[in-house]
Amino acid sequence: DLTPTPDLVQACVIGGTVYAPGAPNPQNPCQSCQPAQSTTAFTNTADGTSCGAGTVCQSGACTAGCFIGGTYYAPGATNPQNPCRSCQPTQSTTAFTNNTNGTSCGSGTICYNGICAAGCVIGGTYYAPNATNPQNPCQSCQPAQSTSAFSNLPDGNGCGPGRICQSGSCAAGCYIGGTVYAPGAPDPNATCQSCQPTQSTTAFTAGTLCGGQCVYLNSDANNCGTCGNVCCGGGACQSGQCRPVTLASGQLRPNGIAIDATSVYWTNYNGGTAGQVMKVPITGGPPIELVSQQNFPNSIAVDATHVYWINEGSASVMRVPVGGGSATSLAPVQNSPRRLAIDATSVYWTTGGGAVMRVPLAGGTPTLLASGQSSPQGIAVDANSVYWATNSAIMRVPLGGGTPIALATGQNSPGSVTVDATNVYWTTVFGRTIASVGLGGGTPTLLASNQNPEGIAVDATHVYWTNSGSSGGVSKVPLGGGTPVQIASVPNASPTGIAVDARCVYWVAIYGSTVMTANK
């Protein structure tokens, strides 16, 4: 007899089986024993009750979907209040889930973090309208074109100095009258005009006729600023100015420098016996080692056949053919040789022992030209005399020797010296000046002050020198003095030796490890 007894009144008897209150239907997880509803049949559980991963009860059946706010939503059904959220039962059956970023939610709009907005989602990243492609300045987010890929910007859009967008790529060129022109392309409607992107990307640039040839003075390295002005060392012409050029880098404390018609020569002071004498074409190219294993090589000079230098470490005066080969000692075991100069017959140098010496170019017995000098430094020579600096004076002696004459006294540690047909020029280390005096002596002329001068050179119109320190560089001033002009800035590189020819100035920088050139 299965008639419920008083102690079973709160149970269900279904199909001959007794089920406790709340016991689920073994065949349907969305039904259970609910005696208050029925004691002889299972009762549907409340809609929305979870009946497994990603499923809910709906009218007594276990179905994939969501039950949100008392309403059942099928999988993928959109939130009526937000097109960027939908029923995603695998994520939640009780709340709407954000749609995948980038899902379209209307014309030109996409879902991003559950919000519908104008923009693009590309590679998982949201970009606002008009945001530029970080990898390509000629593409941007244009939702009206695509919300999932960058769109090309119109041809002619600027994408950098002298560059425009062309079919989605950034390149040098001009966009004129709806047409893209490559750099140098001529104006089809005018002579001596062409696309010069560094000047304008939206209009043709007028050139200048130099020797019947149309050139652009702002950018032509053979006619930079003016017709016929060739940039030294094969350098670039920018805005009508030749840029300084590095002829050699990675050198080992380059110090002395000399030039001839085709090459620049220098010493790599280095250290110990690892010094070198080097050269490089004045137009640039690979540096060439003329000789190695020199002992602190320093001051250097060159003639048509040989390069001459001083080895401070071995106290010798040396030479090697300009093409390289075996080095020859011209005057070994000198007393701390410091600086050297040459003329057509001899090599001249100063020594730490207070002497000024001479030896034939091919070597031989040195001749003492002057002794008892106080710390002689820089030296120069002309057709008649040798000139040098002591610690306070500029001196002169005939080429054959004799009594030294002081051309200028009271100088504050003069260093480098050079000479032309009328004057001697020098730097003062502690006085921080550039000065000159006539070959016969007299009152010195102050050419420039407040400098940190190292090397010095002269041509027909100007004196040139290198400056060390944080504001270091190469400067010039007219022969009679005036306002110094900086030719090149090389801060903290310690430029030292300097040389000039008809167009160019050349220098070496110890700490910059470079050999450089620039237009004068």
Side-chain angles (χ1 to χ4, degrees), residues 87-194:
C87 168
Q88 303 291 331
T90 58
Q91 303 299 315
S92 173
T93 59
T94 60
F96 289 111
T97 302
N98 289 349
N99 288 345
T100 302
N101 286 342
T103 303
S104 175
C105 54
S107 178
T109 57
I110 44 119
C111 296
Y112 187 71
N113 292 342
I115 297 173
C116 185
C120 309
V121 170
I122 304 168
T125 300
Y126 170 77
Y127 295 90
N130 300 315
T132 301
N133 180 352
Q135 308 301 320
N136 184 346
C138 287
Q139 294 182 329
S140 67
C141 168
Q142 299 294 326
Q145 304 298 317
S146 172
T147 58
S148 60
F150 289 111
S151 301
N152 291 347
L153 293 178
D155 284 355
N157 267 45
C159 54
R163 301 169 71 83
I164 58 170
C165 295
Q166 304 174 31
S167 300
S169 296
C170 186
C174 306
Y175 190 74
I176 305 168
T179 301
V180 172
Y181 293 89
D187 181 347
N189 300 309
T191 58
C192 203
Q193 287 196 162
S194 68

Side-chain angles (χ1 to χ4, degrees), residues 168-383:
S169 296
C170 186
C174 306
Y175 190 74
I176 305 168
T179 301
V180 172
Y181 293 89
D187 181 347
N189 300 309
T191 58
C192 203
Q193 287 196 162
S194 68
C195 166
Q196 297 294 317
T198 58
Q199 304 304 309
S200 173
T201 59
T202 59
F204 289 110
T205 301
T208 300
L209 289 173
C210 289
Q213 180 183 6
C214 182
V215 301
Y216 294 87
L217 303 180
N218 276 325
S219 58
D220 190 329
N222 293 315
N223 300 277
C224 188
T226 59
C227 290
N229 184 35
V230 179
C231 290
C232 296
C237 178
Q238 298 176 1
S239 301
Q241 298 289 324
C242 289
R243 308 306 302 167
V245 173
T246 299
L247 297 175
S249 60
Q251 299 304 297
L252 304 174
R253 297 187 68 196
N255 199 350
I257 189 171
I259 59 172
D260 61 18
T262 61
S263 300
V264 182
Y265 304 82
W266 70 95
T267 52
N268 275 335
Y269 192 74
N270 197 23
T273 59
Q276 300 165 297
V277 178
M278 307 288 294
K279 78 172 183 178
V280 71
I282 60 174
T283 54
I288 299 168
E289 181 184 80
L290 298 182
V291 66
S292 62
Q293 302 303 308
Q294 300 305 295
N295 199 338
F296 293 101
N298 192 354
S299 185
I300 188 172
V302 64
D303 64 15
T305 60
H306 287 81
V307 183
Y308 307 82
W309 70 96
I310 282 170
N311 275 337
E312 289 186 356
S314 57
S316 56
V317 180
M318 309 290 295
R319 81 170 186 174
V320 71
V322 292
S326 298
T328 301
S329 175
L330 304 181
V333 193
Q334 295 303 302
N335 189 351
S336 300
R338 290 181 171 173
R339 307 282 183 89
L340 118 167
I342 63 172
D343 63 12
T345 64
S346 302
V347 182
Y348 306 82
W349 67 95
T350 55
T351 77
V356 179
M357 307 291 294
R358 183 189 73 195
V359 73
L361 292 178
T365 302
T367 298
L368 177 67
L369 301 180
S371 61
Q373 302 301 295
S374 178
S375 299
Q377 294 291 332
I379 187 170
V381 62
D382 65 12

